[in-house]
Amino acid sequence: MVNDRSCEVFGWTKEEFLGNNINMIMPAHIAMHHDQYMKNFLKTGIKKMIGTQREVTACRKDGTTFPCMLDLSEAKGSGLICGFIRDRTNQKVAEMALAKKNKSLQEKQDIMAGILDASFHALFVINEKCIIQMVNEKSCVVFGWRKDEFIGKNINMIMPSDIAVHHDQYMKQ
């Protein structure tokens, strides 16, 4: 059995699929071992892939490959193995775009940290709730704490207690 979506994704007709070895949708370096995997399963009953879900590379009729999620299940009592394939191309493109944006953001944060650290003065970046988001090296020298001891804490930690207790209220005004 093969559904219409599989024909669309792989470029094969139902007639071309039916009666042929499923290794036709696998890259050559995997397809050449597939029949032996099946023989081992039928001989030993040990399921290495059946009952699992994993990301694999599939191959279209035109020879192009794409990332997909493969779920293999055994249909109870039928002796049939069902494969469910989900094309992950769009997800991979989105993941790569996100990784590129994250890298760019990290580079900008590194530049900002470098600028902050170049200052001769203690500098803090806080959010609207007065929580320290960034701090420079000079702040660590002046106040005696490490950067990780500042980040995520209220800025009032560096103030005398009589001022610190009122600081957040000042910020709300």
Side-chain angles (χ1 to χ4, degrees), residues 8-54:
E8 290 173 31
V9 169
F10 288 100
W12 301 91
T13 65
K14 284 186 181 183
E15 294 73 26
E16 290 172 312
F17 266 122
L18 297 176
N20 283 304
N21 192 315
I22 195 63
N23 68 11
M24 66 195 281
I25 66 168
M26 300 172 193
H29 68 282
I30 296 171
M32 62 189 280
H33 300 290
H34 180 261
D35 291 350
Q36 188 60 49
Y37 297 150
M38 287 303 299
K39 286 177 187 174
N40 291 343
F41 164 67
L42 294 171
K43 182 179 176 182
T44 66
I46 297 172
K47 300 175 184 176
K48 292 185 178 182
M49 286 283 298
I50 298 169
T52 67
Q53 178 184 66
R54 69 194 276 191

Side-chain angles (χ1 to χ4, degrees), residues 132-160:
I132 300 170
Q133 304 298 302
M134 293 180 75
V135 60
N136 70 348
E137 289 295 331
K138 188 65 174 182
S139 298
C140 297
V141 172
V142 169
F143 293 99
W145 288 312
R146 297 184 319 267
K147 284 185 178 184
D148 64 317
E149 293 175 306
F150 281 118
I151 304 297
K153 305 285 189 325
N154 193 300
I155 190 68
N156 65 16
M157 71 185 284
I158 66 169
M159 300 172 191

Side-chain angles (χ1 to χ4, degrees), residues 2 14 33 58 70 77 82-83 105 118 145 164-165 171:
V2 64
K14 284 186 181 183
H33 300 290
L70 171 64
C82 302
L105 179 60
W145 288 312
V165 297
M171 293 299 290

